[in-house]
Amino acid sequence: MCAVAVSFRPDLALLCAALRACRSQVDDVLVVDNGSPDAQRPGLRALVAEVGGDLLALDTNLGIAAAQNRGIAWARERGASHVLLLDQDSVPAPDMVARLLQALDGATRAGQRVAAVGPRLVDRRSRVSTPFVRISVAGVRRLACGGGPGQTHETDFLVASGALIPLPVLDAVGPMEEGLFIDNVDLEWCFRARARGYTLLGVCDAVLEHSVGDQ
């Protein structure tokens, strides 16, 4: 299990919280820094080393898709079975990965072809949970959590941060689309996975503290 966190001019305190929260839940942690200023690199390198992770520093900002793909390649080289994608400001609950794995294993044993499982996102400031969604010609149907322990939702879209993906799925579905740079990278990959017959599962018991972007 390898966590891949993408950073760009990160708040080091928040990144530290994110890395510390996931470090005990996975085997390896990689931070792919997407061209942060040279002045920030020493502090970033020291932080990653202190947490017990690795740093892959890109010379320029190649976009989130390219950074994720390089992290996934790094995980594959190390024989990882799964990759956990994270943003620099997303802090997992202490049992998030275990909850995701439990849901993934249960769905797989039940015969589902699962591309990825993702946590319930809780906004850091408002404490409001983001619902999972189903998308159709009739519009967007929002699926809220609240059905008790073990609740999952089949969804058409998972935010990349917190998504746990088996490496064989990435071999079948393909990498993130680097031409999109940042917006809709996760949306496109999820649609591609669904088009290939895979299921996406939102796991209500798994929680990720996340910052929703400002305008």
Side-chain angles (χ1 to χ4, degrees), residues 4-205:
V4 174
V6 177
S7 67
F8 176 68
R9 299 185 178 182
D11 177 324
L12 292 182
L14 195 51
L15 177 60
C16 181
L19 297 180
R20 288 192 183 282
C22 78
R23 186 64 189 91
S24 62
Q25 302 185 56
V26 299
D27 298 297
D28 295 296
V29 171
L30 175 69
V31 174
V32 183
D33 185 67
N34 226 344
S36 292
D38 290 341
Q40 197 171 24
R41 289 287 174 85
L44 180 59
R45 194 175 301 279
L47 167 60
V48 173
E50 179 184 346
V51 172
D54 288 273
L55 176 66
L56 174 59
L58 305 179
D59 292 333
T60 60
N61 188 348
L62 300 180
I64 194 166
Q68 288 171 341
N69 286 339
R70 280 154 179 74
I72 291 165
W74 186 91
R76 182 179 282 110
E77 290 172 358
R78 281 151 183 77
S81 59
H82 301 72
V83 63
L84 175 72
L85 299 179
L86 288 174
D87 287 349
Q88 64 190 26
D89 57 359
S90 299
V91 181
D95 61 350
M96 187 193 80
V97 174
R99 299 281 190 179
L100 292 176
L101 276 174
Q102 183 180 30
L104 176 60
D105 290 345
T108 301
R109 286 196 301 270
Q112 292 182 273
R113 297 176 69 228
V114 182
V117 289
R120 174 167 55 91
L121 304 184
V122 178
D123 184 70
R124 177 169 296 105
R125 290 169 291 188
S126 69
R127 309 312 301 172
V128 173
S129 295
T130 301
F132 300 107
V133 298
R134 295 303 302 270
I135 304 169
S136 70
V137 293
V140 176
R141 182 160 58 98
R142 291 170 173 79
L143 309 172
C145 293
Q151 183 183 19
T152 62
H153 285 301
E154 184 173 342
T155 182
D156 288 324
F157 168 63
L158 291 171
V159 172
S161 190
L164 180 67
I165 309 173
L167 263 295
V169 171
L170 285 158
D171 294 333
V173 175
M176 304 301 160
E177 175 50 63
E178 298 185 12
L180 295 177
F181 195 77
I182 184 166
D183 287 334
N184 298 321
V185 171
D186 41 14
L187 185 68
E188 187 277 334
W189 189 89
C190 288
F191 280 9
R192 196 174 351 130
R194 295 280 288 139
R196 284 162 170 73
Y198 284 94
T199 295
L200 301 163
L201 288 180
V203 183
C204 292
D205 291 340

